[in-house]
């Protein structure tokens, strides 16, 4: 039998669209002894975790937990929990993840009305209202921070619009939670999901989810159970909540990591954390523009502080620059997706990765690489 070489992954500075650099305290938490999924101590840690998640999401929603899986599992659990085959859903799509929500809901036989805008644009309340008024959907879904374009969707008024038309508001907060202001209750959002590996600074594998009492009522009135058994939020709530009924063998290690990541968020303070991500992003934007590069989202107020899209200059081999960044500097950044493939680089300053020293290192590396043939 072949004995493979000893595990020795290189230390990368993760400045792409996720995963982001993991805080050393989170790495230590991952190494703590494994506990059974029904151990009273693990159940206590789950309870801490949901409390910390409520604070991070800025909600009092009872149904707040982390699904075992990545951000996509969060998306599937929310869409599959709130919607049944034949239900109508409006999806606002101006990038890769908006289109993904639409595709996923279609697979659940939900009747999807997709409202589309260009990759890098955001929706006005008027556009959302027009779509909701025309389609009369059960829910409207929108991406808060579109990681494929770097555009930040303004959320003011969207909850009211949805509720005025008797619809639920579903928000993708994968790249915003813990780095950019998220106000689930303030927005009137009925369901939101995120991922552990973006601004929460953990490895991937846990997807925070929160569901409002209004949306829970809708869930309770379903004609048939949720489309996925594994991602069924009712069953997951029975495990995380009072009864602690066995549902699946949750990874205690990932729970420790998420709890530690959230403890770091609480210690720093949400406002302070947002107040760190924003100026570090501004420093990056200023630096890139000083180098003569153009940012894909022109209006700074509509840029995601945790994810910047910068245009690849004419005549530059974008994959070669990314490869050299990785091989010579140990830095990972992301490529463009969909229509932005080959057009932009995606630079993440997320969680523990949002630091001035990282901005300077990346800018200096880009200056070096862009002047080479
Ligand atoms: C990363 C991301 C997802 C998907 O998360 P995974 O952890 O890759 O499954 C969904 N939506 C947005 C906006 C994202 O940035």
């Amino acid at each position: 039998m072949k004995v493979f070489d000893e595990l020795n992954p290189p230390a990368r500075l993760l400045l792409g669209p996720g995963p982001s650099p993991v805080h050393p305290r989170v790495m230590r938490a991952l190494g703590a002894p494994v506990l059974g999924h029904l151990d009273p101590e693990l159940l206590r840690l789950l309870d801490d975790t949901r409390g910390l998640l409520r604070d991070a999401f800025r909600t009092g929603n009872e149904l707040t937990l982390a699904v075992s899986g990545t951000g996509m599992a969060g998306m599937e659990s929310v869409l599959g929990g709130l919607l049944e085959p034949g239900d109508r859903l409006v999806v606002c799509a101006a990038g890769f993840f908006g289109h993904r929500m639409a595709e996923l809901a279609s697979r659940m036989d939900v009747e999807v009305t997709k409202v589309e805008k260009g990759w890098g644009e955001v929706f006005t309340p008027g556009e959302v209202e027009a779509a909701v008024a025309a389609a009369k959907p059960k829910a409207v879904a929108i991406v808060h921070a579109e990681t494929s374009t770097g555009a930040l969707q303004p959320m003011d008024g969207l909850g009211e619009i949805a509720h005025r038309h008797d619809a639920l508001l579903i928000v993708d907060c994968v790249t915003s939670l813990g780095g950019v202001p998220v106000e689930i209750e303030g927005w009137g959002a009925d369901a939101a999901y995120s991922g552990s590996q973006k601004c929460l600074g953990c490895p991937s594998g846990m997807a925070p989810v929160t569901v409002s009492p209004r949306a829970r009522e809708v869930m309770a009135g379903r004609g048939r159970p949720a489309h996925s058994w594994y991602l069924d939020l009712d069953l997951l709530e029975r495990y995380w909540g009072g009864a602690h009924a066995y549902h699946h063998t949750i990874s205690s290690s990932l729970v420790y990591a998420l709890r530690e990541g959230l403890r770091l968020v609480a210690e720093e303070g949400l406002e302070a954390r947002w107040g760190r991500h924003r100026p570090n992003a501004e420093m990056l934007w200023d630096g890139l523009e000083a180098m003569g590069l153009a940012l894909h989202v022109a209006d700074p107020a509509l840029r995601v502080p945790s994810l910047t899209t910068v245009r690849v200059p004419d005549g530059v081999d974008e994959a070669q620059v990314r490869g050299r960044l990785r091989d010579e500097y140990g830095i990972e950044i992301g490529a463009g997706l969909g229509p932005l493939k080959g057009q932009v680089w995606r630079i993440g300053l997320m969680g523990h990765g949002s630091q001035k020293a990282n901005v300077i290192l990346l800018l200096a590396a880009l200056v070096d690489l862009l002047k080479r043939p």
Side-chain angles (χ1 to χ4, degrees):
M1 200 202 281
K2 178 169 161 48
V3 177
F4 288 87
D5 57 344
E6 197 182 333
L7 177 70
N8 191 22
R12 297 267 192 251
L13 177 56
L14 298 170
L15 301 182
S20 65
V22 175
H23 194 284
R25 263 173 53 188
V26 174
M27 290 306 298
R28 283 201 294 278
L30 279 165
V34 168
L35 281 174
H37 54 287
L38 296 175
D39 191 293
E41 178 62 6
L42 186 73
L43 297 177
R44 188 181 75 78
L45 299 177
L46 289 180
D47 220 46
D48 293 352
T49 304
R50 61 196 324 207
L52 288 161
L53 277 177
R54 287 187 192 107
D55 292 344
F57 272 123
R58 300 262 224 184
T59 179
N61 287 342
E62 176 67 23
L63 203 178
T64 302
L65 48 76
V67 173
S68 294
T70 67
M72 287 310 301
M75 190 191 290
E76 296 224 27
S77 69
V78 165
L79 293 179
L82 268 51
L83 301 162
E84 295 181 65
D87 282 345
R88 284 191 298 276
L89 173 72
V90 165
V91 177
C92 302
F96 184 84
F97 292 102
H99 287 282
R100 250 202 191 172
M101 284 204 279
E103 188 193 328
L104 213 146
S106 302
R107 283 196 183 195
M108 297 170 181
D109 293 322
V110 167
E111 269 183 51
V112 176
T113 303
K114 195 152 74 168
V115 203
E116 296 187 48
K117 289 198 86 170
W119 287 48
E121 295 180 50
V122 298
F123 294 87
T124 64
E127 288 163 345
V128 175
E129 175 135 40
V132 172
K136 302 196 177 8
K138 187 175 189 182
V140 51
I142 198 158
V143 179
H144 179 220
E146 182 46 89
T147 319
S148 63
T149 67
L152 185 69
Q153 174 63 48
M155 295 301 299
D156 282 348
L158 300 191
E160 265 169 65
I161 289 170
H163 298 158
R164 201 183 307 137
H165 294 275
D166 213 17
L168 300 169
L169 176 64
I170 299 172
V171 189
D172 177 316
C173 297
V174 179
T175 288
S176 48
L177 187 69
V180 182
V182 166
E183 300 279 359
I184 292 308
E185 248 163 56
W187 296 342
D190 295 290
Y193 56 87
S194 189
S196 49
Q197 80 277 24
K198 309 233 175 161
C199 293
L200 297 177
C202 299
S204 62
M206 293 299 265
V209 166
T210 188
V211 179
S212 73
R214 180 197 302 253
R216 284 191 81 176
E217 256 175 56
V218 170
M219 279 169 55
R222 296 180 62 109
R224 64 182 100 181
H227 117 110
S228 160
W229 185 91
Y230 190 72
L231 301 173
D232 182 328
L233 291 171
D234 283 323
L235 296 180
L236 287 170
E237 174 61 25
R238 267 192 255 165
Y239 167 61
W240 278 73
H244 298 308
Y246 164 63
H247 174 263
H248 70 290
T249 309
I250 200 167
S251 163
S252 58
S253 309
L254 291 182
V255 172
Y256 306 156
L258 179 59
R259 179 176 175 278
E260 195 61 21
L262 290 165
R263 249 163 51 81
L264 284 158
V265 172
E267 276 173 31
E268 183 174 4
L270 266 182
E271 280 93 351
R273 204 171 165 93
W274 301 337
R276 170 165 61 85
H277 281 74
R278 177 91 207 171
N280 288 342
E282 284 167 354
M283 186 176 166
L284 174 68
W285 301 339
D286 290 348
L288 292 169
E289 284 179 330
M291 287 169 61
L293 299 178
L295 297 172
H296 179 65
V297 179
D299 182 353
L302 297 179
R303 289 181 197 146
V304 176
S306 46
L307 192 285
T308 297
T309 40
V310 56
R311 310 280 314 170
V312 177
D314 286 342
V316 169
D317 179 342
E318 78 82 19
Q320 185 184 58
V321 171
R322 263 188 305 117
R324 285 176 167 171
L325 261 179
R326 182 191 60 229
D327 297 338
E328 298 178 28
Y329 287 91
I331 298 174
E332 175 178 288
I333 64 170
L337 288 174
L340 297 180
K341 187 173 183 329
Q343 311 263 307
V344 298
W345 288 301
R346 293 187 298 149
I347 302 170
L349 292 172
M350 300 180 178
H352 185 51
S354 173
Q355 293 179 33
K356 276 188 190 180
N358 291 343
V359 175
I360 290 169
L361 183 60
L362 176 66
L363 288 171
L366 282 175
V367 167
D368 171 38
L369 295 173
L370 288 176
K371 70 174 184 231
R372 287 206 222 148

